[in-house]
Amino acid sequence: MAIYKNISSAQTGETLIAKDTTKSIGISKITITNHDLTDECRIKLYLDDGGGDDANNPYVLARTIIPPLVTLVLNDN
């Protein structure tokens, strides 16, 4: 099942996938696209274990800048 989210530059701390304790799901691929024609996009993708704020979270999966019209793909391969 795919989940699509459109996040504008004004938003911060957007939850992409909320923790669900009633079922076990696996994530095999994450795709983040910067659709802007001229501006870069700064992202920080992390796993929130509920133990603190995102600035001190030890589970950072990706922290990078995505140039205009570029897609970042994270696979479990």
Side-chain angles (χ1 to χ4, degrees):
M1 175 179 80
I3 299 171
Y4 298 96
K5 297 245 180 168
N6 186 10
I7 302 170
S8 72
S9 62
Q11 294 172 311
T12 60
E14 179 73 20
T15 299
L16 298 180
I17 301 170
K19 182 177 181 179
D20 186 350
T21 57
T22 62
K23 55 186 167 183
S24 176
I25 63 167
I27 300 169
S28 60
K29 185 177 184 179
I30 297 173
T31 304
I32 302 172
T33 302
N34 181 1
H35 290 283
D36 196 278
L37 298 175
T38 57
D39 295 327
E40 61 189 22
C41 172
R42 294 180 183 269
I43 65 117
K44 178 178 168 186
L45 181 66
Y46 62 92
L47 177 64
D48 184 359
D49 65 353
D53 61 355
D54 66 331
N56 299 315
N57 196 304
Y59 304 108
V60 176
L61 305 174
R63 182 189 320 234
T64 190
I65 298 171
I66 303 174
L69 300 175
V70 171
T71 298
L72 171 67
V73 179
L74 303 170
N75 288 330
D76 70 348
N77 297 338

